Amino acid sequence: MPKATITFNLPEEKDDYELANQARDLYGALWGLAEELRHRIKYQNAGKELESFLTFFYETLAEHKIELDK
């Protein structure tokens, strides 16, 4: 099975280490936000404003090459 190892030079790269360490939690938070927005649009008739925000949200993720549907 292939493996990948990421190495950080601590303490100089502590911020990068912390960000990498939180990646799964950040992904989960973004996924949860997207799900809540879709739910409100679909079931609570949240209107065009939230639909517009959801579009903006996905465009912003795409600009940063982040895909939630992987």
Side-chain angles (χ1 to χ4, degrees):
M1 174 179 270
K3 292 184 180 185
T5 301
I6 300 174
T7 303
F8 297 94
N9 294 316
L10 299 176
E12 298 86 15
E13 296 178 332
K14 185 176 189 285
D15 290 343
D16 292 334
Y17 166 76
E18 292 294 337
L19 183 60
N21 202 33
Q22 293 175 349
R24 185 170 297 278
D25 293 332
L26 291 167
Y27 176 89
L30 291 172
W31 178 267
L33 178 59
E35 286 295 303
E36 182 62 25
L37 288 169
R38 284 191 292 262
H39 176 81
R40 289 183 186 200
I41 290 166
K42 186 171 183 177
Y43 297 110
Q44 297 178 2
N45 297 322
K48 296 290 181 191
E49 199 170 298
L50 271 188
E51 286 182 35
S52 175
F53 181 78
L54 185 60
T55 299
F56 168 77
F57 177 75
Y58 279 121
E59 287 171 353
T60 302
L61 292 177
E63 287 173 10
H64 295 277
K65 297 180 177 90
I66 298 172
E67 297 179 35
L68 295 180
D69 296 329
K70 281 189 170 184

